[in-house]
Amino acid sequence: MSQNIVNARVTFRNSPIHVLEQFTIKDMDNAYDQFKKHSGLDECVIIQTCNRIELFGKSKYHDPNKIKKTWASLTGLEEEIFNENIEFVENKDAFHHLLKLTSGLDSMVLGEEQILGQIKNSITSARETKASGQHLNTLFDKAIRIGARIRNSSGIGKGGISVGSMAVKLAEENVDELKTKKTLLIGTGEVSTLVAKSLNRRGYSFDVTSRTISRSRMFCETMGGNPIKFEDILTRFDKYDVIFVATTAPYFLVTEEKITNAMKDKNKGIMILDLSNPRTVDEKVATIRGVKLMNLDQIAEIVEKNMNARQNKVKEVENIINEEVMILEASMKRLDAEPLVKEVFKNIESLREKELRKALHMLDEKDEKKIKIIDELTKAVVESIVSTPMNNIRKASEQEKSDLVNLATKLFDYKKQDAAD
Ligand SMILES: NC(=O)c1ccc[n+]([C@@H]2O[C@H](COP(=O)([O-])OP(=O)(O)OC[C@H]3O[C@@H](n4cnc5c(N)ncnc54)[C@H](OP(=O)(O)O)[C@@H]3O)[C@@H](O)[C@H]2O)c1
C-alpha cells in the first residue's frame, strides 16, 4: 500500500484507569493541528472515551517516535511512560482493530452500544476540522457500517442488562398487565435509579419511598415516580401489586408479619423483588400464599446468563471481522489509485469537450437533438476505451502491483501525485 494507516492507542487493556487518564487529550483542535504538523501524519482521527484514547492516522511514511513525541507534548507526559502503555499497529491490523471497536468486541462491557456513537462523533468532528481526509473518512464510514451490520447479525449487543432493568423485566414476565398494577419502589440509591429508569422507559407509573420524604421528592424530580411517606407505606403494602426493594438497611424492612397482614385484605397476588444485599425482605415472605419473591442472587444469575450469551457470540463476530478485514483492506488499497484515476478521467473529459465544441463549430450544428446524439456518442466512445484500463489500475493498486500503477502514472503523464496524496 502506498499509504499507511496507523493506529496508536492507550486503552484499559494495557493501562489502569488512573494511568490512562494522563494520556487524555484536552484541546482536540490543537491536537489535530499538532499531529498534522509534527507527527508525519497527513490525516488523523482521535477517539477518546473513559476506557481508551486512540489515534488513527494516514501517512506515506510515519515514525512512531514522532507520534509519541507529539502526544507527549500535548499531555505534558515524559516520552518514557508511552513505552509501557502505548500500542502501535498499522494497515491490516489497524483495520482489524477498528472493526473490533465498532462491533463492540474490544469494549470493557462486551458488545456495548456506546462506542459506536463515540466513533461516529470522532469521525464527524475530524471531518469538520478537516483533520481527516479521503482515506480515513472512507475507512471510518465503512468500519461504522460493518460494525453496525455485525451487531445486528450476531446479536452481540443483545441481552446486556442491568440488575434494575432485569428486575423490571422479571416483573413484566410474572405479573399480568403490569401497566394496570400499583408499583412501589423502596430506596432512592444507585440501584433504585436503575429500576426507576427502566420503569420510565417502559411507561410504568410507580410510587417511591425513602426514609426521608425530601430525598424521595428529589429522586422523583429527576427519575420520575410519585414520592410517598415512608411511615405510610410500611403498614400499607396491601395497596401494591409489585414492590422493588433496593436499600442498604441492615434489617428486614419487609417482614413476614407485614406481608401476612397485607395479604389478608388483598384478593390479588403480590410480587416482591429484593435487590438488596444483604436482603431487606425476609425470605419467609415467599411462603405466604399469593406472594412471589425474587432476591438479588436469582436476578443476578439471570443477568449473568445474559452476559454469557454475549460471550458465546465472540467467535462468530471474530470470524465475520476476519472476512470483512480482507474486503476493507482491498478497498483501502484501491483508494491509493483514486487520485490518478480521477485525474485521467478529468483530463480525458476536458479533451472530449474541447474536441466536441470544435466539431460542432465546424458543422455549424444548431439542432439540439443532433447535438445531444453527437455528445452521447463521444461520451460512449471515451467510456468504452477508458473504463477497462482504469479498472485495471484500481485492481493493480488493490493487488499492490506498484510497477503497473507507476507505469500507468507515466503513461498518463500524471504529475500531481504528491499534491493529491
Ligand atoms: N450498586 C450496585 O452495583 C448494586 C448492585 C446490586 C445490588 N446492590 C444492592 O442494592 C442495595 C442498594 O444499593 P445502592 O447502590 O442503591 O445503595 P445506595 O446508593 O447507597 O442507596 C441506599 C439506599 O438505601 C436506603 N437505606 C439505607 N438504610 C436504610 C434503612 N435503615 N431503612 C430504609 N432505607 C435505608 C437509603 O435511603 P436514605 O435516603 O434514607 O439513606 C438509600 O435509598 C444494596 O443492598 C446493595 O448491596 C447494589
Side-chain angles (χ1 to χ4, degrees):
M1 205 149 42
S2 73
Q3 297 294 335
N4 288 297
I5 303 293
V6 57
N7 165 241
R9 59 181 188 259
V10 181
T11 76
F12 72 98
R13 300 214 175 267
N14 269 5
S15 317
I17 300 298
H18 69 276
V19 175
L20 180 79
E21 279 170 356
Q22 301 172 40
F23 290 82
T24 306
I25 291 165
K26 303 228 162 54
D27 182 345
M28 210 49 103
D29 287 348
N30 177 45
Y32 279 133
D33 192 42
Q34 297 298 312
F35 275 119
K36 284 180 86 167
K37 269 189 194 144
H38 304 296
S39 70
L41 300 172
D42 45 26
E43 285 188 34
C44 37
V45 178
I46 297 166
I47 301 168
Q48 194 157 264
T49 75
C50 51
N51 289 327
R52 62 185 71 248
I53 302 128
E54 304 216 10
L55 170 76
F56 279 82
K58 185 217 88 171
S59 72
K60 204 158 189 170
Y61 313 101
H62 75 273
D63 175 358
N65 284 325
K66 281 191 182 169
I67 294 177
K68 275 191 256 176
K69 227 184 204 56
T70 313
W71 196 337
S73 75
L74 290 166
T75 51
L77 290 171
E78 296 291 325
E79 275 175 59
E80 290 74 63
I81 186 175
F82 279 83
N83 300 336
E84 293 149 30
N85 294 282
I86 202 164
E87 287 175 86
F88 275 101
V89 285
E90 56 180 56
N91 298 331
K92 195 172 177 186
D93 292 335
F95 306 151
H96 191 269
H97 177 66
L98 185 57
L99 290 187
K100 277 180 82 176
L101 285 181
T102 57
S103 59
L105 219 57
D106 201 56
S107 293
M108 199 181 242
V109 177
L110 196 61
E112 58 100 358
E113 195 68 39
Q114 224 182 346
I115 185 74
L116 196 57
Q118 287 160 332
I119 293 174
K120 281 181 191 164
N121 291 342
S122 299
I123 185 63
T124 304
S125 58
R127 235 186 199 117
E128 280 166 7
T129 53
K130 299 213 178 334
S132 59
Q134 193 189 25
H135 279 73
L136 289 186
N137 290 343
T138 306
L139 173 66
F140 273 73
D141 289 348
K142 282 183 189 288
I144 288 166
R145 272 203 301 276
I146 295 168
R149 210 170 58 228
I150 291 177
R151 284 166 187 272
N152 279 340
S153 66
S154 67
I156 183 92
K158 295 212 178 95
I161 195 164
S162 69
V163 280
S165 298
M166 183 52 87
V168 174
K169 203 162 165 244
L170 288 168
E172 256 176 346
E173 282 168 14
N174 285 281
V175 178
D176 289 339
E177 295 180 67
L178 191 56
K179 271 217 165 85
T180 62
K181 300 288 176 348
K182 280 285 282 177
T183 298
L184 172 68
L185 172 58
I186 307 179
T188 49
E190 228 179 288
V191 176
S192 299
T193 303
L194 296 173
V195 174
K197 273 188 185 163
S198 180
L199 287 168
N200 266 327
R201 253 197 321 270
R202 290 158 193 253
Y204 298 120
S205 57
F206 54 99
D207 290 346
V208 177
T209 194
S210 175
R211 277 181 300 186
T212 49
I213 186 73
S214 59
R215 179 119 190 232
S216 304
R217 282 200 189 108
M218 252 160 59
F219 179 90
C220 292
E221 269 168 31
T222 47
M223 304 315 308
N226 317 300
I228 305 283
K229 271 192 183 161
F230 197 57
E231 312 78 62
D232 294 351
I233 290 301
L234 292 182
T235 49
R236 290 306 315 269
F237 286 133
D238 58 304
K239 277 173 63 185
Y240 294 97
D241 306 300
V242 181
I243 303 173
F244 296 93
V245 192
T247 77
T248 46
Y251 49 84
F252 293 142
L253 280 178
V254 181
T255 59
E256 185 187 12
E257 190 195 350
K258 282 174 187 155
I259 296 298
T260 306
N261 286 338
M263 293 308 284
K264 266 187 204 151
D265 306 323
K266 215 167 153 41
N267 51 10
K268 295 182 281 179
I270 185 168
M271 180 167 191
I272 304 172
L273 297 108
D274 186 8
L275 297 156
S276 321
N277 181 25
R279 292 170 192 178
T280 42
V281 178
D282 187 348
E283 276 289 300
K284 288 191 204 124
V285 159
T287 60
I288 303 168
R289 204 154 168 257
V291 176
K292 177 153 183 70
L293 172 67
M294 286 194 91
N295 60 40
L296 182 64
D297 292 343
Q298 293 162 314
I299 299 166
E301 199 183 311
I302 303 169
V303 169
E304 190 67 26
K305 271 194 195 134
N306 272 267
M307 283 313 213
N308 284 346
R310 284 185 179 196
Q311 202 64 45
N312 294 338
K313 304 263 162 81
V314 169
K315 194 83 214 121
E316 182 188 338
V317 171
E318 268 170 359
N319 289 341
I320 310 175
I321 289 180
N322 289 338
E323 283 168 22
E324 294 286 354
V325 159
M326 287 192 285
I327 303 167
L328 189 56
E329 194 185 19
S331 41
M332 292 307 291
K333 283 178 187 165
R334 275 170 89 100
L335 219 53
D336 288 344
E338 272 323 297
L340 164 65
V341 170
K342 250 193 211 156
E343 187 68 13
V344 172
F345 271 122
K346 202 172 111 196
N347 290 345
I348 291 177
E349 179 59 12
S350 80
L351 273 177
R352 184 192 71 85
E353 282 173 357
K354 193 172 128 202
E355 295 303 323
L356 178 68
R357 270 197 307 274
K358 226 163 51 183
L360 292 177
H361 181 71
M362 280 155 74
L363 290 170
D364 196 23
E365 186 58 67
K366 297 278 185 290
D367 183 336
E368 286 298 326
K369 208 172 154 195
K370 283 185 188 163
I371 292 175
K372 195 165 178 259
I373 290 171
I374 300 170
D375 183 36
E376 278 168 9
L377 169 78
T378 57
K379 272 188 188 156
V381 171
V382 165
E383 187 76 23
S384 63
I385 296 171
V386 181
S387 61
T388 306
M390 289 305 110
N391 282 336
N392 285 341
I393 292 170
R394 288 183 173 122
K395 223 180 276 168
S397 174
E398 189 181 313
Q399 293 164 356
E400 291 186 279
K401 292 182 179 164
S402 53
D403 288 358
L404 212 67
V405 179
N406 290 340
L407 185 66
T409 304
K410 282 192 187 133
L411 285 176
F412 287 102
D413 200 18
Y414 176 61
K415 297 203 181 68
K416 289 191 189 160
Q417 196 177 20
D418 284 336
D421 278 353

